Amino acid sequence: MVCLFYNILAIVAAMYSLFDVNYFVRLLFTTLWRRIIPRKKKRFSEDIRTYGFCTTNDVDFFMTHMNNARFLRELDFSRIDFYHRTGLYEGVVSRKATVLQGATTVRYRKPLPIFAFYQVTTRLVYCDDKAIYLEHKFITLSDNFVRAIAISKQNITGLEVTVSELISIVDPESLQLEAPEDLKHWLEYINASSEKLKKSD
Ligand SMILES: *[C@@H]1O[C@H](CO)[C@@H](O)[C@H](O)[C@H]1NC(C)=O
Ligand SMILES: *[C@@H]1O[C@H](CO)[C@@H](O)[C@H](O)[C@H]1NC(C)=O
């Protein structure tokens, strides 16, 4: 019995040293949770909210606030929830399409303190023929302050329709979205960056 216990402990320790186990557990949990307890479908015009707590796993060298990389990691879970809650998940999976993160930008406004509860809101702000653009806000629950704001570009490939068409199939009442001013600049940046690399290749 004791021997079995040590074996299991050794396997768990090995898994933790080789994989980011918490990441996979949470991905699985987030997905299963949505399968087991389906909630009312969200429109693309609505915010999708997920919640988090800044733990000792999330902090940086100073041990007082969330490190920069954790914000991006957190967005993986928010995006999964976005796909499930809006029905875009079925839309993509049923067409055997592939989703890849094409670009992300984060603007850190104020540190997110250790042991703080926060909310991440995700909303579709724009789509073109090849990608969707999501805006995410990290908001601390104690003061409702937007600690960080991020935009993600999600490339969706392998569809027979354009990404904009897919969006209107999944939510027929969704409106044609006009790119917000800040996003327009970011799109220009992406083009310029892409051109620069093409020249240097
Ligand atoms: C995402 O799509 C853009 C074109 O829309 C392309 O330049 C970029 O390489 C793609 N990124 C990935 C990771 O597929
Ligand atoms: C980026 O370049 C593509 C063509 O490569 C063009 O269709 C698009 O309008 C450009 N977007 C911006 C914001 O400049």
Side-chain angles (χ1 to χ4, degrees):
M1 200 59 203
V2 171
C3 183
L4 179 70
F5 174 74
Y6 282 118
N7 281 341
I8 292 172
L9 203 64
I11 291 169
V12 170
M15 295 290 279
Y16 265 91
S17 67
L18 292 172
F19 299 95
D20 184 351
V21 176
N22 293 342
Y23 178 87
F24 292 104
V25 168
R26 204 164 143 203
L27 275 189
L28 193 71
F29 184 77
T30 308
T31 307
L32 287 181
W33 189 249
R34 283 287 161 252
R35 302 270 121 200
I36 297 166
I37 308 180
R39 293 174 57 194
K40 196 171 147 277
K41 189 176 158 181
K42 286 270 190 182
R43 307 277 318 276
F44 284 122
S45 55
E46 291 176 285
D47 276 338
I48 310 296
R49 296 170 206 280
T50 53
Y51 293 87
F53 178 63
C54 182
T55 72
T56 47
N57 268 314
D58 301 322
V59 293
D60 71 356
F61 180 75
F62 298 107
M63 306 287 273
T64 53
H65 57 257
M66 187 137 110
N67 72 55
N68 300 344
R70 283 278 158 170
F71 286 83
L72 293 179
R73 185 181 188 272
E74 207 54 40
L75 290 183
D76 275 7
F77 307 117
S78 300
R79 273 191 298 266
I80 291 201
D81 219 35
F82 167 85
Y83 275 82
H84 281 291
R85 299 283 323 263
T86 57
L88 190 54
Y89 183 83
E90 275 76 23
V92 168
V93 169
S94 65
R95 288 173 179 79
K96 298 191 172 59
T98 309
V99 179
L100 271 178
Q101 180 81 340
T104 319
T105 181
V106 186
R107 202 164 67 78
Y108 303 98
R109 298 177 74 215
K110 234 182 184 188
L112 203 160
I114 188 168
F115 306 133
F117 285 99
Y118 59 89
Q119 177 186 81
V120 185
T121 64
T122 299
R123 184 200 288 251
L124 179 78
V125 283
Y126 185 57
C127 61
D128 57 26
D129 289 349
K130 294 180 181 161
I132 59 168
Y133 300 85
L134 304 173
E135 186 183 77
H136 316 269
K137 289 182 188 142
F138 287 82
I139 305 168
T140 29
L141 296 187
S142 59
D143 56 5
N144 235 356
F145 190 83
V146 180
R147 303 270 161 171
I149 182 162
I151 315 175
S152 348
K153 172 182 181 180
Q154 292 251 286
N155 286 3
I156 306 181
T157 51
L159 293 168
E160 284 111 51
V161 293
T162 66
V163 171
S164 328
E165 279 161 356
L166 175 68
I167 292 299
S168 50
I169 292 168
V170 173
D171 179 1
E173 286 165 48
S174 61
L175 300 169
Q176 186 77 37
L177 292 162
E178 162 84 26
E181 204 50 39
D182 52 352
L183 183 71
K184 279 185 193 156
H185 292 295
W186 195 55
L187 296 179
E188 277 166 23
Y189 153 76
I190 292 175
N191 272 7
S193 163
S194 169
E195 287 304 317
K196 189 169 84 175
L197 288 178
K198 273 185 203 149
K199 273 183 206 138
S200 64
D201 279 347

